[in-house]
DNA sequence: AGTACCACCTGACGGC
DNA sequence: TGCCGTCAGGTGGTAC
């Protein structure tokens, strides 16, 4: 479930392992996960380049190449990166494998093939073409309030809408709403500025804390919902409520009915 | 504009 | 043991 925190960790991993080492060999085993470029063309374009930096926008990772283009990576639900010394160390379902000048490999794996790979010349044009809103962590409080005030419908749908705010998916939207003590079906229009401000603050804290803890769910605070998804367990707030699964914004949502009363 | 639903894709898991 | 249905998830498309 790579959302903003996981992708930020992938970015840091890529920067720590694979920067400034020319790509000496490219292997592409992707089909439909390639956007507007063939595997052959992608391999040809990457060959001989080096990655000079990496940036993240929402759930998208953009690796800047020395020729000015960007390799774009999206991780779907099961995607991740691995840097490894030997070819046999590559993960199952590797779709793209780069061999670097130091002999190591950087592999992109995506078991369920919901991820996407691409190569773009212009970063801003890519973000516009993908219809991505501002990154959830780059967004400032006032901009967030302004965005939300233009919005109707349910709060869960709003914070998961990548064209409004980029980076939050199903898992972190549940976490943010749980910690804000807000029901996923709460109407955005019914929320006051104070409530929206609290939501923003919680969103920011949840995302930065998750990144600080390397986006490993087991490392998250015990008061969080994240490790109790999928079972009707007790609410981690200690309220004696029992977590339940509902549908909101067309998605499965986990809530505590006591902490997050229905609107 | 917002919602609801399907399709894509495949590993994990529960039931029998 | 092994088969089968269901679920998970992000996104993109379509119909309302």
């Amino acid at each position: 479930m790579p959302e903003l925190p996981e992708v930020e960790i992938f970015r840091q991993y890529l920067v720590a392992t694979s920067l400034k080492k020319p790509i000496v060999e490219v292997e592409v085993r992707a089909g439909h996960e390639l956007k507007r470029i063939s595997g052959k063309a992608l391999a040809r374009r990457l060959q001989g380049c080096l990655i000079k930096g990496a940036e993240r926008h929402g759930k998208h990772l953009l690796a800047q190449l020395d020729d000015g283009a960007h390799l774009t990576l999206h991780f779907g639900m099961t995607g991740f990166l691995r840097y490894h010394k030997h070819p046999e160390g590559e993960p199952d379902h590797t779709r793209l494998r780069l061999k670097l000048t130091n002999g190591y490999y950087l592999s992109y794996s995506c078991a369920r093939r919901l991820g996407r790979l691409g190569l773009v010349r212009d970063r801003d044009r890519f973000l516009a073409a993908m219809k991505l809103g501002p990154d959830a962590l780059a967004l400032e409080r006032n901009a967030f309030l302004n965005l939300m005030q233009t919005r109707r419908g349910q709060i869960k749908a709003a914070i998961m809408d990548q064209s409004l705010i980029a980076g939050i998916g199903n898992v972190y939207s549940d976490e943010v709403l749980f910690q804000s003590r807000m029901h996923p079906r709460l109407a955005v229009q019914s929320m006051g500025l104070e409530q929206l401000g609290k939501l923003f603050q919680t969103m920011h804290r949840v995302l930065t804390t998750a990144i600080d803890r390397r986006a490993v769910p087991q490392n998250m605070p015990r008061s969080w919902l994240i490790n109790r998804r999928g079972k009707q367990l007790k609410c981690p707030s200690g309220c004696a409520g029992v977590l339940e699964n509902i549908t909101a914004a067309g998605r499965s949502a986990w809530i505590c009915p006591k902490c997050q009363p229905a609107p």
Side-chain angles (χ1 to χ4, degrees):
Chain A
M1 38 126 222
E3 300 181 27
L4 188 154
E6 288 80 12
V7 179
E8 175 58 22
I9 298 305
F10 297 157
R11 189 193 68 79
Q12 293 175 11
Y13 182 77
L14 185 144
V15 166
T17 59
S18 307
L19 241 46
K20 296 172 183 152
K21 296 161 186 159
I23 297 163
V24 296
E25 188 184 295
V26 182
E27 180 138 356
V28 182
R29 289 174 226 141
H32 72 265
E33 42 280 268
L34 294 169
K35 284 203 80 175
R36 307 172 64 176
I37 190 167
S38 69
K40 231 178 178 176
L42 179 65
R44 195 172 57 234
R45 291 286 308 274
L46 290 174
Q47 179 82 38
C49 283
L50 63 79
I51 300 172
K52 63 176 184 179
E55 131 178 60
R56 181 191 57 70
H57 189 101
K59 305 175 192 175
H60 294 260
L61 183 57
L62 292 88
Q64 304 164 251
L65 305 174
D66 55 348
D67 67 359
H70 302 257
L71 169 65
T72 62
L73 303 106
H74 186 276
F75 297 89
M77 172 183 177
T78 52
F80 64 95
L81 297 175
R82 184 181 295 168
Y83 180 72
H84 51 100
K85 187 164 188 175
H86 304 290
E88 57 271 23
E90 76 172 31
D92 289 344
H93 314 291
T94 292
R95 311 290 174 195
L96 174 67
R97 195 183 74 191
L98 308 178
K99 185 179 186 185
L100 310 175
T101 35
N102 64 353
Y104 278 69
Y105 297 85
L106 180 70
S107 292
Y108 163 88
S109 162
C110 191
R112 291 182 203 178
R113 312 190 70 170
L114 293 172
R116 294 293 177 262
L117 293 170
L119 193 81
V120 300
R121 209 174 319 155
D122 188 308
R123 164 204 181 276
D124 293 333
R125 268 175 55 188
F126 169 74
L127 299 181
M130 296 300 295
K131 297 187 166 62
L132 294 175
D135 180 75
L137 265 189
L139 188 63
E140 289 182 22
R141 180 191 169 97
N142 280 340
F144 176 84
L145 296 178
N146 289 338
L147 276 182
M148 297 307 273
Q149 284 178 297
T150 68
R151 184 79 185 195
R152 307 154 142 270
Q154 303 175 2
I155 186 61
K156 183 177 171 75
I159 62 174
M160 285 180 64
D161 183 342
Q162 303 301 298
S163 68
L164 193 70
I165 308 168
I168 296 176
N170 203 34
V171 171
Y172 281 94
S173 67
D174 279 359
E175 190 65 53
V176 169
L177 292 171
F178 169 69
Q179 292 190 35
S180 302
R181 305 296 186 239
M182 292 172 194
H183 193 280
R185 287 204 284 259
L186 190 60
V188 180
Q189 277 184 304
S190 75
M191 297 172 68
L193 277 180
E194 198 181 322
Q195 213 174 0
L196 288 169
K198 179 186 162 194
L199 178 66
F200 174 78
Q201 199 179 356
T202 307
M203 174 182 84
H204 207 273
R205 179 175 49 76
V206 165
L207 295 175
T208 53
T209 303
I211 293 167
D212 286 347
R213 310 212 176 184
R214 313 293 303 167
V216 176
Q218 294 87 329
N219 292 350
M220 301 305 164
R222 281 193 210 181
S223 60
W224 283 31
L225 179 72
I226 195 164
N227 288 312
R228 302 195 186 203
R229 302 175 66 77
K231 285 173 230 133
Q232 273 134 29
L233 296 171
K234 272 199 289 186
C235 171
S237 78
C239 76
V242 176
L243 302 178
E244 63 180 45
N245 188 242
I246 63 167
T247 298
R251 306 297 303 273
S252 147
W254 285 90
I255 63 160
C256 168
K258 277 188 89 167
C259 295
Q260 298 161 272

